[in-house]
Amino acid sequence: VCVCTPWQIRKALNASGQRQLVESAVAASTDITLKDGWEFATQFASDDQFVIAMGSLLGKDAAETREFIQLASTL
């Protein structure tokens, strides 16, 4: 399992040009738990259902999502 901070995931999303897609998906969601997770989580883990769902939204499978979180953890 790979883990990164909110700042790291946002930097990775900015660098990959995918930040707005995630922000828009969260804003459009009616799932308050998803919104709270994006706003208040202290870490993002590659095996978390929220992270996996967002990875799918970005066209990534579980392995690619894990790699993205791993990359983010280095930023």
Side-chain angles (χ1 to χ4, degrees):
V1 176
C2 296
V3 177
C4 69
T5 68
W7 187 40
Q8 289 170 319
I9 194 70
R10 284 168 171 83
K11 287 193 293 184
L13 288 167
N14 290 343
S16 68
Q18 299 176 332
R19 170 86 180 265
Q20 191 56 51
L21 181 59
V22 172
E23 294 285 355
S24 295
V26 171
S29 177
T30 59
D31 183 344
I32 194 70
T33 301
L34 180 129
K35 290 176 182 255
D36 285 347
W38 181 244
E39 186 174 353
F40 299 113
T42 58
Q43 67 179 18
F44 293 97
S46 60
D47 65 345
D48 183 273
Q49 290 302 331
F50 164 75
V51 173
I52 293 168
M54 282 296 124
S56 290
L57 177 71
L58 300 174
K60 298 182 183 311
D61 63 24
E64 291 169 321
T65 299
R66 184 179 188 285
E67 289 172 9
F68 191 79
I69 298 295
Q70 187 172 21
L71 169 70
S73 73
T74 67
L75 301 178

